[in-house]
Amino acid sequence: MRSNAPRSRRPAGETRALMLDAAVNRVQHEGLRLDYANIELEDLIRIAGVPRSTVFRIWPDRIAFIADLVRTLFERDPGFDTGFDEQTRQLLDQVVEMGAHASSDEERQGMLRDTLRVAVAHNMQTVENTVAWRAYRTMCAALVSGDVPGGAGIRTLLVEIEARYLDRMAEIYGGLNAAFGLRMRDGVTERDLALAIMAMIDGMSDHSRIDPAAVDTPRVVALGPEGTREWHLAGVAIAGIYTSFTESAG
């Protein structure tokens, strides 16, 4: 809500918060456009009711503001630092506890496959509906296109966001490996596994926007002795990645 306090009296911290709130609200309703055309500082200054001079002391240009905005979107997303949304995290916690009490490697491997099957199908939907990740994909596309200014700053921001996310996912996969009696194969790490899975999910999500039926139509396939199950195509791919990157620790 816009405040009636005089613009000239706003401290920098309040100005920053009001500007980012206005921009977050816009991205939530409109998305982040490839050319960032809907993130105009002058327009947001008017909406936020903040002093122009303070805004340009905080952010020297629009690219600096957009970088701060995207970082804020991720920091406000509860699934960013935790790796998954709450429902997926609860599922993983339950399965990790069950895996610790499994009686055989075969049982643990079956439980891991079933975890991947359910978690990936759910996570594909939540990722697609997350404002922060949609903004991230827009910035990736902008960086590749080369049609927008500030490419070096965009790359620095994306590296920062990816590094934080991959570090957290590496911890999660390390926990899964320990629970299911697995270890990474020589030459690759949990972080490599996280990067490979993230890249596959990103690509699958991009293609789903073009041809959702080709990607999202369930596949009925047997990946183990537990028999046929209904899988999202991304789940089949991740199960293959996981098998390629890990081996039995026994």
Side-chain angles (χ1 to χ4, degrees):
M1 179 181 296
R2 179 173 174 174
S3 170
N4 292 322
R7 293 186 179 195
S8 61
R9 297 181 184 176
R10 294 195 188 282
E14 184 182 354
T15 295
R16 178 178 182 274
L18 288 168
M19 284 288 290
L20 289 172
D21 284 346
V24 166
N25 183 65
R26 175 161 293 179
V27 172
Q28 287 174 336
H29 287 86
E30 301 179 8
L32 182 64
R33 297 181 191 171
L34 185 60
D35 59 359
Y36 316 140
N38 59 333
I39 307 297
E40 289 290 350
L41 289 182
E42 297 291 351
D43 186 30
L44 293 171
I45 288 169
R46 178 185 57 79
I47 293 170
V50 295
R52 186 177 185 277
S53 58
T54 305
V55 167
F56 284 98
R57 282 200 300 270
I58 299 171
W59 302 286
D61 53 42
R62 186 171 60 147
I63 293 299
F65 177 77
I66 291 169
D68 204 4
L69 166 62
V70 173
R71 188 180 292 107
T72 299
L73 287 170
F74 273 94
E75 289 173 348
R76 293 186 183 184
D77 181 351
F80 176 45
D81 281 328
T82 54
F84 293 106
D85 65 285
E86 182 62 26
Q87 184 176 342
T88 305
R89 289 198 305 274
Q90 289 178 358
L91 171 65
L92 292 176
D93 289 343
Q94 292 170 3
V95 174
V96 165
E97 184 176 349
M98 292 168 60
H101 298 92
S103 59
S104 67
D105 284 345
E106 184 176 281
E107 183 181 358
R108 280 189 286 269
Q109 290 167 8
M111 291 171 59
L112 177 60
R113 282 190 293 270
D114 207 44
T115 300
L116 294 175
R117 182 180 66 85
V118 175
V120 171
H122 174 72
N123 204 52
M124 284 294 293
Q125 287 186 319
T126 58
V127 165
E128 189 62 29
N129 294 326
T130 299
V131 174
W133 280 110
R134 290 204 303 269
Y136 166 82
R137 298 303 296 155
T138 298
M139 295 194 81
C140 287
L143 181 62
V144 171
S145 72
D147 293 334
V148 295
I154 293 173
R155 185 180 298 277
T156 298
L157 172 65
L158 296 182
V159 168
E160 174 195 330
I161 289 173
E162 285 192 2
R164 287 176 59 184
Y165 181 75
L166 290 172
D167 286 345
R168 177 55 183 145
M169 294 306 299
E171 292 178 10
I172 290 174
Y173 294 138
L176 284 176
N177 288 347
F180 292 107
L182 298 171
R183 66 186 176 196
M184 301 304 300
R185 296 185 188 273
D186 289 344
V188 291
T189 66
E190 286 87 355
R191 203 172 190 277
D192 294 330
L193 175 61
L195 179 57
I197 290 176
M198 183 183 75
M200 193 284 301
I201 290 289
D202 284 349
M204 195 77 73
S205 179
D206 285 346
H207 192 73
S208 180
R209 297 189 192 102
I210 299 169
D211 189 355
V215 174
D216 297 328
T217 299
R219 272 67 169 181
V220 179
V221 60
L223 298 186
E226 60 270 20
T228 57
R229 297 286 191 275
E230 192 174 272
W231 287 77
H232 190 285
L233 185 60
V236 178
I238 289 178
I241 293 171
Y242 219 109
T243 299
S244 298
F245 275 66
T246 60
E247 62 186 4
S248 173

